[in-house]
């Protein structure tokens, strides 16, 4: 069972609200990622982090922001949610020391913005 | 054109059938190839991982990589209803970012 946890699993909110999606991993992995997944579409990388205080934007432009203050924690924040932000958000992590390019995913946070 | 192409399905087969799932790609720099399985309302989980060309077998699952054709396959023998899920291929090169590129996934339904 994956040791990476996302909360909330489901969230329905109104336009303009601020939301934070939480992601925590207990594996001590240095690299963490946020992907956005829409039905029938490939996963798109929106943010990644190579370690504490390191964050980068991914390939897909996103109005969200992330922070990495602790190794195990990588929250994603939307300051003002809009219906276009409705999607599934997947958090993942990887141990770069293992040499294997394998991601461990959380169960996802499904966001609906009305 | 997408870097990785994957037939979205859905693919419906009877229990016990051999299933073949495929992806094609355009970037010859890809060296790592993975298959993830994603059940409904869950995150993807790693199923198979291969480096460079060749075959890899794990129980009922066999992964094949043909780099000359830029084509990868996942075979499932004796398919079970519990194999019903979306299967995502993913691949990356050997640069420092190891950025994974995912296919859009193939939905598989195994009928009892």
């Amino acid at each position: 069972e994956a040791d990476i946890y996302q909360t909330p699993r489901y969230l329905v909110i109104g336009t303009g609200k601020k939301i934070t999606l939480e992601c925590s991993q207990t594996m001590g992995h240095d690299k963490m990622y946020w992907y956005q997944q829409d039905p029938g579409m490939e996963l798109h990388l929106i943010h990644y982090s190579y370690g504490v205080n390191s964050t980068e934007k991914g390939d897909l432009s996103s109005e969200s922001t992330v922070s990495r203050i602790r190794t195990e924690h990588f929250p994603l924040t939307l300051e003002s949610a809009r219906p276009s932000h409705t999607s599934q958000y997947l958090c993942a992590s990887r141990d770069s020391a293992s040499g294997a390019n394998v991601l461990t995913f959380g169960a996802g946070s499904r966001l609906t913005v009305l | 054109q997408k870097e990785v192409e994957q037939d979205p399905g859905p693919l419906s087969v009877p229990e016990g059938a051999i299933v073949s799932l495929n992806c094609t790609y355009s970037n010859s720099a890809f060296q790592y190839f993975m298959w993830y399985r994603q059940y409904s309302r869950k995150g993807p989980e790693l199923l198979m991982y291969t480096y460079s060309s060749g075959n890899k077998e794990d129980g009922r699952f066999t992964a094949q990589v043909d780099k000359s054709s830029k084509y990868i396959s996942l075979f499932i023998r004796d398919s079970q209803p519990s194999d019903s899920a979306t299967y995502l291929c993913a691949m990356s090169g050997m640069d420092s970012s190891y950025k994974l590129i995912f296919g859009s996934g193939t939905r598989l339904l195994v009928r009892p």
Side-chain angles (χ1 to χ4, degrees):
Chain A
E1 188 167 335
D3 296 306
I4 182 165
Y5 306 99
Q6 291 187 241
T7 58
R9 291 291 318 279
Y10 304 94
L11 180 62
V12 180
I13 60 168
T15 297
K17 299 292 186 183
K18 177 181 178 179
I19 64 114
T20 296
L21 304 180
E22 303 285 351
C23 176
S24 294
Q25 50 99 3
T26 58
M27 299 170 284
H29 288 175
D30 54 333
K31 291 184 167 57
M32 296 189 73
Y33 307 81
W34 276 102
Y35 285 86
Q36 188 171 334
Q37 183 182 35
D38 294 310
M41 302 294 289
E42 58 269 34
L43 276 69
H44 288 291
L45 182 66
I46 52 175
H47 297 283
Y48 61 98
S49 167
Y50 285 172
V52 171
N53 294 325
S54 156
T55 61
E56 300 287 343
K57 288 189 177 295
D59 301 323
L60 183 67
S61 176
S62 174
E63 293 164 350
S64 58
T65 59
V66 293
S67 63
R68 188 92 181 272
I69 298 173
R70 303 197 314 266
T71 298
E72 62 272 20
H73 195 214
F74 191 40
L76 180 146
T77 298
L78 274 166
E79 290 292 334
S80 179
R82 295 205 302 270
S84 60
H85 296 139
T86 294
S87 188
Q88 164 136 289
Y89 294 85
L90 290 164
C91 182
S93 70
R94 177 169 89 84
D95 179 11
S96 59
S98 72
N101 189 19
V102 171
L103 299 183
T104 300
F105 283 89
S109 292
R110 186 172 296 276
L111 172 65
T112 302
V113 184
L114 303 176
Chain B
Q1 184 184 2
K2 294 180 181 179
E3 280 191 278
V4 178
E5 298 279 358
Q6 186 174 9
D7 189 329
L11 179 63
S12 180
V13 301
E15 183 175 354
I18 297 174
V19 176
S20 173
L21 304 169
N22 311 293
C23 286
T24 59
Y25 63 94
S26 58
N27 190 341
S28 58
F30 287 151
Q31 295 282 350
Y32 297 98
F33 303 92
M34 283 140 274
W35 286 95
Y36 283 84
R37 178 176 61 195
Q38 186 174 22
Y39 291 114
S40 180
R41 304 193 184 282
K42 300 283 189 182
E45 59 177 335
L46 182 70
L47 199 57
M48 298 287 283
Y49 173 84
T50 54
Y51 169 70
S52 195
S53 284
N55 296 356
K56 185 174 183 178
E57 188 173 322
D58 184 2
R60 296 185 295 111
F61 299 91
T62 299
Q64 285 186 353
V65 176
D66 182 350
K67 291 186 68 182
S68 62
S69 301
K70 297 191 181 68
Y71 189 86
I72 68 170
S73 301
L74 176 71
F75 297 96
I76 307 174
R77 291 184 300 279
D78 187 26
S79 56
Q80 302 295 310
S82 59
D83 294 327
S84 298
T86 296
Y87 290 80
L88 303 160
C89 64
M91 49 198 79
S92 75
M94 294 184 70
D95 63 19
S96 59
S97 69
Y98 289 101
K99 187 174 71 173
L100 275 180
I101 306 297
F102 285 86
S104 54
T106 299
R107 279 181 54 209
L108 172 66
L109 174 63
V110 181
R111 308 185 306 271

